Amino acid sequence: MNPTAILLLHCPDTTGIISEITRFITDNGGNIVDIDQFVDHIEGMFFMRIEWELDHFAIERDKIAEILDTLYAKRFNAKCNLYFSDIPPRMAIFVSKMGHCLYDLLARYQSGEWRVEIPCIISNHEDMRHVAEQFSIPYYVFPIEKDKSNVAQVEAAELELLRRERISFIVLARYMQIITDGLIAAYPNRIINIHHSFLPAFVGAKPYHQAWTRGVKIIGATSHYVTAELDAGPIIEQDVVRITHRDTPQSLVKKGRDLEKIVLARAVTQHIERRILTYDNKTVILN
Amino acid sequence: MNPTAILLLHCPDTTGIISEITRFITDNGGNIVDIDQFVDHIEGMFFMRIEWELDHFAIERDKIAEILDTLYAKRFNAKCNLYFSDIPPRMAIFVSKMGHCLYDLLARYQSGEWRVEIPCIISNHEDMRHVAEQFSIPYYVFPIEKDKSNVAQVEAAELELLRRERISFIVLARYMQIITDGLIAAYPNRIINIHHSFLPAFVGAKPYHQAWTRGVKIIGATSHYVTAELDAGPIIEQDVVRITHRDTPQSLVKKGRDLEKIVLARAVTQHIERRILTYDNKTVILN
Amino acid sequence: MNPTAILLLHCPDTTGIISEITRFITDNGGNIVDIDQFVDHIEGMFFMRIEWELDHFAIERDKIAEILDTLYAKRFNAKCNLYFSDIPPRMAIFVSKMGHCLYDLLARYQSGEWRVEIPCIISNHEDMRHVAEQFSIPYYVFPIEKDKSNVAQVEAAELELLRRERISFIVLARYMQIITDGLIAAYPNRIINIHHSFLPAFVGAKPYHQAWTRGVKIIGATSHYVTAELDAGPIIEQDVVRITHRDTPQSLVKKGRDLEKIVLARAVTQHIERRILTYDNKTVILN
Amino acid sequence: MNPTAILLLHCPDTTGIISEITRFITDNGGNIVDIDQFVDHIEGMFFMRIEWELDHFAIERDKIAEILDTLYAKRFNAKCNLYFSDIPPRMAIFVSKMGHCLYDLLARYQSGEWRVEIPCIISNHEDMRHVAEQFSIPYYVFPIEKDKSNVAQVEAAELELLRRERISFIVLARYMQIITDGLIAAYPNRIINIHHSFLPAFVGAKPYHQAWTRGVKIIGATSHYVTAELDAGPIIEQDVVRITHRDTPQSLVKKGRDLEKIVLARAVTQHIERRILTYDNKTVILN
């Protein structure tokens, strides 16, 4: 597969953006392999994802971003992000005591399903160390005191590790600690969480128990980017499974596990493939 | 099809109930065509639906309820409801200005999909009169004053009409008025509403707009029995449909319409077929 | 809503098409409200749907098609279809004895859900005349002899009626007769059928019975354009519903009805909104 | 959790079976925790799954089967299977070169999701040995010659291994060899396969490619028991995922992987929990 450049762009809607950008790429010998765009007429915003082959592209890689900025970003008041398909993102996994999402992520990684690197797994417990070792990935434990007195130090140590490993995004694979503001600020819209309910129903703790108590006929799972407000960040993916009166809180936990795995994996896939733009606490996911 | 008797029963869980009841029916010449049961081990409750052919059943129809009561209801502290398949329930439809659920209910009714009678449609507006007339069903309008000053009189008039027509249950086909306590008390767990969200998410007004604002990736609809608390009664049926960032509040309304129709129709089907027991603000739906 | 022009175009893939067309529209004062495109890299084909407002568009309506043809169709070897949003398509419904899809289509039509006109309903039986009359739509019966001896005359009479009513596309709402080659030739990719199975499983007669015999756990429905080969035309939409061992051929028919209605309605919506391109016996459905 | 006995029974339908069996269990001090039954009125067959606690049950474990046989099996011409919840089944996995189902099964096994033992993994290739080793499960390779000349010897060796390991059922985790008649005869309705299509559509090789060529809008996966006829055994579970014109055979393979994992895992769960009866090439799955 030829290496490609991927541009994610959004700006106030105006005429002519698509034709300008596609002409720029085409005129410089780039073969466009994918283009998807979306106009939010309510917010008056334009979103685009465009991917083109670099093989015969006349502009050198390290100049592209600068030229795009000069030619278009300023003119259209656009926010641009440029990626290259052969530079995979580096992903850190945070986990606590439940292994199902972790196993699923690592099996996908090891079998080559994703173009990603996973240099480290971070936890507040030792429980999942054997899984990390099975997959030969370094496992770091940062225990958090019950009184939360060491949260600031833990955050500092984690940030230091993440920087050292040049981590580009974080996946919370059922990590049961509140993510600190410093971490969120360092990785804005780059921390993916899986919440075990169909948000915004059943925010917070024990959502399966809440669902059982309310007597719903369908349960869900939601992956979203982490923001300062609990379970309220931009939603990336949701899915549901039908339940009946026969289900107990325990059987919901069991059914939910499969849902959590698949919903988290889909969100991670979209993120790795650079398909997600965020705006106004929502996601726009382009082909 | 032979006429059948249908018994819905629930009581505190104990041993031997199934074998007692099935033996009673079998010993009296009843051929059981369906039996489904459920034990809620958390609440310690037993639920059963049993349906048997009346053809060679030794006990006369009008004695069955009394005998069941004498033999089992008291002994097991059970709540029993007995129905006969050839005595269809009588259903009233309440509607306001939106016709999609109304059309769907009436088309099912007219094409013989349900064993039900629909002697009247009640509204607070004239808008849907032409639909009622198309299907030759009497249409009654009880306008409600903007200041709600006549709510008590309207309720009284409606109750009078419902009694006169011997209505056994009510379907709110997107009826946009709060149901009064008197009506709820007269029809406990016998008023079926369709709410256009995946409850408990987006209770109250404008749920599609709420869903769009939150940026969910799936929307839903919920049919439930009406209780005093708004949108909080026992859930009968839910379903969902996937949406994307391309959807607007308007397109959600459009997509939601099909969902509302199907979810409401499924709930009405279960109710007509006497499959729903309610307990602890939940439904148990037996085969 | 301002009237818009909608262009559906497909041609062998080459560079520059999008930028050419979007520039043409923009340069002539057209405000693009929707654009979606797709490249089939396997077949080497490019597909595009583009919709723009006509209000300030410099080119007169009746000149647009010609200019597009001159400028682009020949140059790119493209097949173009141009539509105007304020000229609704005219749809004929064919029906036999089952009314559920017919009711659903007519209720959507009457409640203004679609920008379409329905000047006639055609049948081989009298059974659904009362439904047509309920909705005040002319109903024409063309009985077909058991020995099929009058098929040619019926086709001729139907074609004459369809021409007289300027019908642009046909919907087979569970029409239980083979569509003749002459009709297919007159309406290529413009006859929408609903088949009551998840094609290509269970082609032909009695698919629910076939599904029950095979013991599947999910049944489906498929809407497709009619071609000469039975149930083998381009698929527009499919959906499924879960079943269990408890289902009988009869209950599958019942569950399938709701599926057929929704799958057919979705296909008709896409067709009315001019979102479907066909190529190589498949559909490309653009936003 | 108390150990339970699970009885799966089917026989020609007659009156009184449920009451007889439940009375037998109750009279002997057994507490019934689950009962589900089903009457196939078309075939005239009765199916039942009943589970009861052994703690205060008056009859010794090793006598139960015999007594059931004496009292009921002969009388009702019933086929009975008795299991004990604390004697987990022993499962062999067959795999070829694709690891996604294998990883999923082993992760569930290792994290204690199932009451099962997995004493061996069997393959015709070395490729998945590292996964087996990661999870510390013995891995046996039986290479099959291209000309299939050694199939009989391989079958014999496999049967010998399966017997030695007291394997009760086999899971084919995308095993790409035809299962031999001898193996099928030794494990009737105890070999679970995952086929990567929505059967009966796309039987045989390359189903994703077949699906792409046909232009379907939904793809599926099917788990079934293996019988002599290819992909035609009793279906246990199916599920589907929506696709679009944008999908290629490669992306279908990718989307299908998640479907295969989940559909296979659900079938294995039902089998392990002894919920599946087979009759007339179909499955009856009881709660």
Side-chain angles (χ1 to χ4, degrees):
Chain A
M1 206 196 297
N2 292 333
T4 57
I6 298 159
L7 173 66
L8 296 181
L9 171 154
H10 71 274
C11 62
D13 188 28
T14 176
T15 56
I17 310 176
I18 301 174
S19 73
E20 289 268 353
I21 305 267
T22 57
R23 203 188 323 176
F24 164 75
I25 294 168
T26 308
D27 287 356
N28 284 288
N31 183 33
I32 296 171
V33 292
D34 254 322
I35 177 169
D36 193 16
Q37 60 86 46
F38 163 64
V39 177
D40 182 335
H41 291 287
I42 297 169
E43 304 287 347
M45 291 296 294
F46 171 83
F47 302 83
M48 183 167 68
R49 180 187 189 275
I50 189 160
E51 181 170 2
W52 69 98
E53 291 175 340
L54 289 167
D55 262 21
H56 302 284
F57 196 56
I59 303 168
E60 280 170 59
R61 277 185 186 222
D62 52 6
K63 300 267 169 66
I64 302 173
E66 196 191 319
I67 292 176
L68 285 169
D69 194 61
T70 309
L71 290 179
Y72 307 107
K74 274 158 202 159
R75 180 168 148 212
F76 290 114
N77 192 20
K79 202 169 162 327
C80 293
N81 282 297
L82 184 72
Y83 305 96
F84 299 106
S85 67
D86 54 2
I87 302 180
R90 293 171 65 84
M91 157 177 157
I93 301 174
F94 281 51
V95 71
S96 289
K97 294 185 170 188
M98 273 169 293
H100 56 287
C101 286
L102 180 63
Y103 272 118
D104 191 66
L105 295 169
L106 295 180
R108 289 170 195 273
Y109 168 61
Q110 185 170 295
S111 55
E113 203 172 299
W114 287 329
R115 279 201 178 192
V116 74
E117 287 167 10
I118 306 183
C120 62
I121 297 169
I122 292 173
S123 183
N124 52 331
H125 294 288
E126 284 292 338
D127 301 59
M128 289 297 124
R129 182 179 294 280
H130 69 288
V131 182
E133 285 173 356
Q134 256 181 293
F135 288 83
S136 308
I137 296 175
Y139 186 82
Y140 303 86
V141 176
F142 298 92
I144 292 164
E145 301 292 334
K146 277 217 169 140
D147 62 1
K148 311 273 174 191
S149 60
N150 67 336
V151 160
Q153 289 120 286
V154 164
E155 183 192 277
E158 286 173 349
L159 278 172
E160 159 63 22
L161 171 60
L162 295 169
R163 249 177 241 126
R164 199 172 63 231
E165 293 289 357
R166 290 168 297 119
I167 294 302
S168 36
F169 75 110
I170 294 167
V171 175
L172 308 180
R174 298 297 311 274
Y175 181 66
M176 305 305 280
Q177 288 289 329
I178 297 293
I179 298 300
T180 52
D181 289 347
L183 208 54
I184 295 170
Y187 287 91
N189 290 330
R190 290 192 284 147
I191 306 175
I192 300 174
N193 186 37
I194 178 72
H195 184 73
H196 41 313
S197 88
F198 187 81
L199 288 176
F202 311 131
V203 164
K206 295 205 160 220
Y208 291 127
H209 206 277
Q210 292 183 53
W212 179 82
T213 302
R214 178 61 187 92
V216 293
K217 297 298 184 186
I218 286 174
I219 55 166
T222 305
S223 58
H224 63 94
Y225 288 121
V226 175
T227 56
E229 192 184 339
L230 182 67
D231 299 332
I235 292 172
I236 305 168
E237 168 70 0
Q238 303 188 289
D239 211 342
V240 298
V241 70
R242 199 165 274 276
I243 62 168
T244 76
H245 58 269
R246 293 189 178 276
D247 283 289
T248 59
Q250 287 70 41
S251 73
L252 296 191
V253 168
K254 210 167 162 177
K255 287 187 177 177
R257 257 188 236 134
D258 284 346
L259 212 50
E260 295 162 27
K261 290 193 303 194
I262 205 94
V263 169
L264 180 57
R266 285 188 200 142
V268 171
T269 301
Q270 305 286 29
H271 188 95
I272 289 173
E273 297 183 353
R274 287 66 144 93
R275 300 192 177 281
I276 313 176
L277 296 107
T278 49
Y279 181 73
D280 205 18
N281 206 43
K282 297 182 193 179
T283 61
V284 170
I285 301 180
L286 297 178
N287 290 313
Chain B
M1 208 196 296
N2 293 332
T4 57
I6 298 158
L7 173 65
L8 296 182
L9 171 155
H10 71 272
C11 62
D13 189 28
T14 176
T15 57
I17 309 176
I18 301 175
S19 73
E20 289 268 355
I21 305 266
T22 57
R23 206 189 321 177
F24 164 76
I25 294 168
T26 308
D27 287 356
N28 284 288
N31 182 32
I32 296 171
V33 291
D34 254 321
I35 177 168
D36 193 17
Q37 59 86 46
F38 163 64
V39 178
D40 183 336
H41 291 287
I42 296 169
E43 303 286 348
M45 291 296 294
F46 172 83
F47 302 83
M48 184 166 69
R49 179 187 190 276
I50 189 161
E51 181 169 3
W52 69 97
E53 292 175 340
L54 289 167
D55 262 21
H56 303 283
F57 196 55
I59 303 168
E60 279 171 59
R61 277 186 187 223
D62 53 6
K63 300 266 170 65
I64 301 173
E66 196 191 319
I67 292 176
L68 284 169
D69 194 60
T70 309
L71 289 179
Y72 306 108
K74 275 160 200 155
R75 180 167 148 215
F76 291 115
N77 193 21
K79 202 169 164 329
C80 292
N81 283 298
L82 185 72
Y83 305 97
F84 299 107
S85 66
D86 54 2
I87 303 180
R90 293 171 65 84
M91 159 176 154
I93 301 175
F94 280 52
V95 70
S96 289
K97 296 187 168 186
M98 272 169 296
H100 57 287
C101 286
L102 180 65
Y103 272 117
D104 190 67
L105 295 169
L106 295 181
R108 289 168 195 273
Y109 169 62
Q110 184 169 298
S111 55
E113 203 172 301
W114 288 329
R115 280 201 177 193
V116 74
E117 287 167 11
I118 306 183
C120 61
I121 297 169
I122 292 173
S123 183
N124 51 331
H125 294 288
E126 284 292 339
D127 302 58
M128 289 296 123
R129 183 179 294 281
H130 70 288
V131 183
E133 285 174 356
Q134 252 182 293
F135 289 83
S136 308
I137 297 174
Y139 186 83
Y140 302 87
V141 175
F142 298 94
I144 293 165
E145 301 292 334
K146 276 218 170 135
D147 63 2
K148 312 274 174 191
S149 59
N150 69 335
V151 161
Q153 291 119 287
V154 165
E155 182 192 278
E158 285 172 349
L159 278 172
E160 159 62 21
L161 171 61
L162 295 170
R163 249 176 242 127
R164 198 173 64 230
E165 293 290 357
R166 291 168 296 118
I167 294 303
S168 36
F169 75 108
I170 295 166
V171 175
L172 309 180
R174 299 294 313 274
Y175 182 66
M176 305 306 279
Q177 287 289 329
I178 297 294
I179 298 299
T180 53
D181 289 347
L183 207 55
I184 295 171
Y187 288 90
N189 289 330
R190 291 191 284 147
I191 305 174
I192 300 175
N193 186 38
I194 178 72
H195 184 74
H196 41 313
S197 87
F198 186 82
L199 289 175
F202 312 129
V203 165
K206 295 206 161 220
Y208 292 127
H209 205 277
Q210 291 182 54
W212 179 81
T213 302
R214 179 59 186 93
V216 293
K217 297 298 184 185
I218 286 174
I219 57 167
T222 304
S223 59
H224 62 95
Y225 287 122
V226 174
T227 56
E229 191 183 340
L230 180 67
D231 300 331
I235 292 171
I236 304 169
E237 168 70 359
Q238 302 188 287
D239 211 342
V240 298
V241 70
R242 199 165 274 276
I243 62 168
T244 75
H245 58 269
R246 292 189 178 275
D247 283 290
T248 59
Q250 286 71 39
S251 72
L252 297 191
V253 168
K254 208 168 165 177
K255 288 187 177 178
R257 258 187 235 133
D258 284 346
L259 211 50
E260 294 162 28
K261 290 194 301 194
I262 205 95
V263 169
L264 180 58
R266 286 189 200 140
V268 171
T269 302
Q270 305 287 27
H271 188 95
I272 289 173
E273 297 182 353
R274 287 67 141 92
R275 300 192 177 281
I276 312 177
L277 296 107
T278 49
Y279 182 72
D280 204 18
N281 206 43
K282 296 182 194 179
T283 60
V284 170
I285 301 179
L286 297 178
N287 289 314
Chain C
M1 207 196 297
N2 291 334
T4 57
I6 298 159
L7 172 66
L8 295 181
L9 171 155
H10 71 274
C11 62
D13 189 28
T14 177
T15 55
I17 309 175
I18 302 174
S19 73
E20 289 269 354
I21 305 269
T22 56
R23 205 189 321 176
F24 164 75
I25 294 168
T26 308
D27 286 357
N28 284 288
N31 182 33
I32 296 171
V33 292
D34 254 321
I35 178 171
D36 194 15
Q37 59 86 45
F38 163 63
V39 177
D40 183 334
H41 291 287
I42 295 169
E43 304 286 348
M45 291 296 293
F46 172 83
F47 302 83
M48 182 167 70
R49 180 187 189 275
I50 189 161
E51 181 169 2
W52 68 97
E53 292 175 340
L54 288 166
D55 261 20
H56 301 284
F57 195 55
I59 303 169
E60 279 171 59
R61 277 185 185 223
D62 51 7
K63 300 266 170 68
I64 301 174
E66 196 191 319
I67 292 176
L68 284 169
D69 194 61
T70 308
L71 288 180
Y72 306 108
K74 275 158 200 159
R75 180 169 150 211
F76 290 115
N77 193 20
K79 204 170 164 324
C80 292
N81 283 297
L82 185 72
Y83 306 96
F84 299 106
S85 67
D86 54 2
I87 302 181
R90 292 170 66 84
M91 158 176 155
I93 301 176
F94 281 51
V95 72
S96 290
K97 295 185 168 187
M98 272 169 294
H100 56 287
C101 286
L102 180 64
Y103 272 118
D104 191 67
L105 295 169
L106 295 180
R108 289 169 196 274
Y109 168 62
Q110 184 169 297
S111 56
E113 202 172 300
W114 287 329
R115 280 202 177 192
V116 74
E117 287 167 10
I118 305 183
C120 63
I121 297 170
I122 292 173
S123 183
N124 52 331
H125 295 288
E126 285 292 338
D127 301 59
M128 290 297 125
R129 183 179 295 280
H130 69 287
V131 183
E133 285 174 355
Q134 254 182 295
F135 288 84
S136 308
I137 297 175
Y139 185 82
Y140 301 87
V141 176
F142 298 93
I144 292 166
E145 301 293 334
K146 275 214 171 140
D147 62 2
K148 312 274 174 192
S149 58
N150 68 336
V151 161
Q153 290 119 287
V154 165
E155 183 192 278
E158 286 172 349
L159 278 172
E160 159 62 23
L161 171 61
L162 296 169
R163 250 175 241 127
R164 200 172 62 231
E165 293 290 356
R166 289 169 297 118
I167 294 302
S168 36
F169 75 110
I170 294 167
V171 175
L172 308 180
R174 296 297 312 273
Y175 181 65
M176 304 306 278
Q177 288 289 329
I178 297 293
I179 297 301
T180 52
D181 289 347
L183 208 55
I184 295 170
Y187 288 90
N189 290 330
R190 290 190 285 147
I191 306 175
I192 300 174
N193 186 38
I194 178 74
H195 183 74
H196 41 312
S197 88
F198 186 81
L199 288 176
F202 312 129
V203 165
K206 294 206 160 219
Y208 292 128
H209 205 278
Q210 291 183 53
W212 178 81
T213 302
R214 178 61 188 94
V216 294
K217 298 298 184 187
I218 286 174
I219 56 167
T222 305
S223 58
H224 62 95
Y225 287 122
V226 175
T227 55
E229 192 183 340
L230 182 68
D231 299 333
I235 293 171
I236 304 168
E237 168 71 359
Q238 303 187 286
D239 211 343
V240 298
V241 70
R242 199 165 275 274
I243 61 169
T244 76
H245 58 269
R246 292 189 178 276
D247 283 289
T248 60
Q250 288 69 41
S251 73
L252 296 191
V253 167
K254 207 167 166 178
K255 287 187 179 178
R257 256 188 236 134
D258 284 347
L259 212 49
E260 295 161 29
K261 291 193 302 195
I262 204 96
V263 168
L264 180 58
R266 284 187 200 141
V268 171
T269 302
Q270 305 287 29
H271 188 94
I272 289 174
E273 296 182 354
R274 287 69 141 88
R275 300 192 178 281
I276 312 177
L277 296 108
T278 50
Y279 182 72
D280 205 19
N281 207 42
K282 299 183 192 178
T283 61
V284 170
I285 301 179
L286 297 179
N287 288 315
Chain D
M1 208 197 297
N2 291 334
T4 58
I6 298 158
L7 173 66
L8 296 182
L9 171 154
H10 70 273
C11 62
D13 189 27
T14 177
T15 55
I17 310 176
I18 301 175
S19 73
E20 289 270 353
I21 305 268
T22 57
R23 205 191 319 176
F24 164 76
I25 294 168
T26 308
D27 286 356
N28 284 288
N31 183 32
I32 296 171
V33 291
D34 255 320
I35 178 169
D36 193 16
Q37 59 85 47
F38 162 64
V39 177
D40 182 335
H41 291 288
I42 296 169
E43 304 286 347
M45 291 296 294
F46 172 82
F47 302 82
M48 183 166 68
R49 181 188 187 275
I50 188 160
E51 181 169 2
W52 69 97
E53 291 175 341
L54 289 167
D55 262 21
H56 303 284
F57 196 55
I59 303 168
E60 280 170 58
R61 277 188 188 220
D62 52 7
K63 300 267 171 65
I64 301 173
E66 197 191 317
I67 292 176
L68 285 169
D69 194 60
T70 308
L71 289 179
Y72 306 107
K74 276 159 201 160
R75 179 166 151 216
F76 290 115
N77 192 21
K79 203 170 162 330
C80 292
N81 283 297
L82 185 72
Y83 305 96
F84 299 107
S85 67
D86 54 2
I87 302 180
R90 292 170 66 82
M91 158 176 157
I93 301 175
F94 281 50
V95 71
S96 290
K97 294 185 169 187
M98 272 168 296
H100 56 286
C101 286
L102 180 64
Y103 272 118
D104 190 67
L105 295 169
L106 295 181
R108 289 169 196 273
Y109 169 62
Q110 184 169 297
S111 55
E113 203 172 300
W114 288 331
R115 279 200 178 194
V116 73
E117 287 167 12
I118 305 182
C120 62
I121 297 168
I122 291 172
S123 183
N124 52 332
H125 294 288
E126 285 292 338
D127 301 59
M128 289 296 124
R129 183 179 292 281
H130 70 286
V131 182
E133 285 174 356
Q134 255 182 293
F135 287 84
S136 308
I137 296 176
Y139 186 82
Y140 301 87
V141 176
F142 298 93
I144 292 166
E145 301 293 334
K146 276 214 170 142
D147 62 2
K148 311 274 175 191
S149 58
N150 68 335
V151 160
Q153 290 118 287
V154 164
E155 182 192 278
E158 285 171 351
L159 279 172
E160 159 62 23
L161 171 61
L162 296 169
R163 249 175 244 127
R164 199 172 63 229
E165 292 290 358
R166 291 169 294 119
I167 294 304
S168 36
F169 75 110
I170 295 167
V171 175
L172 308 181
R174 296 298 311 275
Y175 180 66
M176 304 306 279
Q177 288 289 329
I178 297 292
I179 297 299
T180 53
D181 289 347
L183 208 55
I184 295 170
Y187 287 91
N189 289 330
R190 290 190 285 146
I191 306 175
I192 300 173
N193 186 37
I194 177 73
H195 183 74
H196 41 312
S197 88
F198 186 81
L199 287 176
F202 312 128
V203 165
K206 294 204 161 223
Y208 291 128
H209 205 277
Q210 292 182 53
W212 179 81
T213 302
R214 179 62 187 94
V216 295
K217 297 299 185 187
I218 287 175
I219 56 167
T222 305
S223 58
H224 62 95
Y225 287 122
V226 175
T227 56
E229 192 182 341
L230 182 67
D231 299 333
I235 292 172
I236 305 168
E237 168 72 359
Q238 302 187 287
D239 212 342
V240 298
V241 71
R242 200 165 272 277
I243 62 168
T244 76
H245 58 269
R246 292 188 178 277
D247 282 289
T248 60
Q250 288 69 42
S251 73
L252 296 190
V253 167
K254 208 167 165 177
K255 287 187 178 177
R257 256 187 237 133
D258 284 346
L259 213 48
E260 295 162 28
K261 291 193 301 194
I262 205 96
V263 169
L264 180 58
R266 285 187 200 141
V268 171
T269 301
Q270 305 287 28
H271 187 95
I272 289 173
E273 297 181 353
R274 287 68 140 91
R275 300 192 177 280
I276 312 177
L277 295 106
T278 50
Y279 181 73
D280 205 19
N281 206 43
K282 297 182 194 178
T283 61
V284 170
I285 302 180
L286 297 178
N287 290 314

